[in-house]
Amino acid sequence: MPDPHDPADQQPVTFVVPGQALPGGVDAAAAARGALPQPPARPGRVKAAARVAALRGAADLQRLVAVPGEDIVALHVAGGPVLYLHPANARDLLLAQAAAGATRGQAAPAPRVGAAPPPAEVAVAAALRWRGQEPGTPTRGLLGDVVLAAVEVLTGLAKDEAADFAASRVVQHVDAQVDAGLYRLTPEALGPLAGSGRKVTPAQPLAPADAPLLVLIHGTFVETASTFGKLWALYPERVRQLFAHYGGRVCALDHETLGRSPIANARTLVEALPAGTRLHLATHSRGGLVAEVLARVAHA
C-alpha cells in the first residue's frame, strides 16, 4: 500500500494518456451514445478522463493529474473490470508494465527504487502486456494483451472512502492468491504456496548460512506456482541440479502485485531473512522491480 510517511507517495501523479478526452467520464460518454441508459453509481465525481487510443502516434496526449488523499484512479480494462487504485499504486503498476515492455526492446522510464523519486509523469499504453491464464496450465498463458480502454481520475471522496476503493474488490481478488511471505521450496513439486506450511516465520526461521540463498520472485497478477510451475513440470532434472547447487537453499517470495508497491514487497522479503544473508534472485516481469529495489539498497 502507499506509504503515508513517504513524501513521494503523497505527491500528485500525472498520467499521460494517448487518446480522446472524456469531460464527463466513461459513463457519460456511454450514456450519450445510448449504450448506458442509467449510469451506475460511481465513487465521487469525474475530475478528468480519457479514452485510450490503440495507436499512440495517431492520438493527442491527455494529461490527467491525480492527488493522493483527494483522488483515486480508475483503470478501465476493455471487456473486463475497473481497477480503482490509489494514485501511487496506479503509478507503480504502470511503471511495472513499462519496465516489462523494455525487456522486449522498448524504452521505459526508470522504475522507482530506493531513494530515487518517481517520474513526474507516467505514460499510459493501451496494450499493458499482462497476459491472461490458459486454463489448466501452471504458467502465464498467451491469450493476448490486456487492453486498457480508458482512464479516469475520480475526486470528491472522503479519505476513508478513497482508501476503500483503492483497495477495490479486483485488487483484493488478485492479491488474495497469495499469503505474502518467503517460502521454502522443494525439488519434488511446486504448487500453491499459501497454506502449504512452508512459510518462513519467526517460529520457523531460516538458518543463517555463509552460502547464498536463491529466491524466485513472480510477476504481476499471479503467484509463484503460476510463474515458475513449468520449470518443475518440464525440467525436473534441472530443478534437482539447481537445488543441489544451492544445497537445498531455494525459496520463493509470494507477494501482492496490485495492492502493494515493489518497495513494500522487497521489505517483506528482507524482514524474513537472517541478517547478512547473501541473495541470488531469479525474477519474472514485475519481480525484476522488486529485485532492483534490493540491489540498489544493497549498494547504496
Side-chain angles (χ1 to χ4, degrees):
M1 298 295 288
D3 186 347
H5 303 294
D6 186 346
D9 281 353
Q10 309 310 315
Q11 298 301 313
V13 182
T14 299
F15 298 90
V16 182
V17 184
Q20 175 188 1
L22 298 174
V26 172
D27 293 339
R33 298 194 308 270
L36 192 65
Q38 182 62 42
R42 299 291 299 279
R45 58 181 174 80
V46 176
K47 176 180 176 180
R51 179 180 291 115
V52 182
L55 299 177
R56 177 179 293 272
D60 294 331
L61 295 180
Q62 312 298 329
R63 284 176 164 78
L64 314 183
V65 180
V67 179
E70 298 179 9
D71 307 328
I72 60 174
V73 178
L75 302 180
H76 292 254
V77 175
V82 180
L83 306 181
Y84 293 101
L85 302 172
H86 184 284
N89 281 346
R91 174 199 65 206
D92 290 346
L93 191 63
L94 292 168
L95 288 176
Q97 74 85 27
T103 65
R104 287 174 284 274
Q106 301 174 4
R112 178 187 169 210
V113 293
E121 296 185 339
V122 179
V124 177
L128 297 181
R129 302 185 187 279
W130 293 318
R131 304 293 186 175
Q133 291 269 41
E134 285 182 332
T137 62
T139 60
R140 281 179 148 184
L142 297 173
L143 300 182
D145 295 336
V146 173
V147 176
L148 191 62
V151 180
E152 292 180 307
V153 176
L154 306 176
T155 194
L157 300 98
K159 288 188 177 181
D160 56 346
E161 186 180 0
D164 287 342
F165 278 98
S168 68
R169 290 183 180 180
V170 174
V171 174
Q172 292 176 17
H173 176 73
V174 171
D175 286 350
Q177 298 177 95
V178 304
D179 175 14
L182 184 66
Y183 289 80
R184 298 174 176 87
L185 302 183
T186 66
E188 289 77 25
L190 178 59
L193 298 179
S196 66
R198 298 201 297 271
K199 186 176 182 179
V200 175
T201 65
Q204 296 180 314
L206 286 175
D210 293 332
L213 173 72
L214 175 63
V215 177
L216 311 183
I217 308 179
H218 63 78
T220 310
F221 285 162
V222 289
E223 34 71 53
T224 299
S226 298
T227 300
F228 297 101
K230 273 192 175 177
L231 182 61
W232 267 251
L234 301 181
Y235 305 100
E237 182 58 33
R238 290 292 180 90
V239 170
R240 286 191 288 270
Q241 292 172 0
L242 194 66
F243 273 76
H245 178 78
Y246 283 95
R249 290 173 53 80
V250 180
C251 292
L253 176 68
D254 250 10
H255 59 282
E256 304 99 327
T257 61
L258 294 187
R260 288 190 177 272
S261 71
I263 295 173
N265 300 147
R267 186 180 297 120
T268 297
L269 173 56
V270 170
E271 289 174 349
L273 297 172
T277 300
R278 286 195 294 138
L279 289 178
H280 289 180
L281 304 173
T283 70
H284 181 265
S285 184
R286 181 186 182 278
L289 294 182
V290 180
E292 190 171 356
V293 170
L294 295 165
R296 293 204 181 188
V297 171
H299 290 87

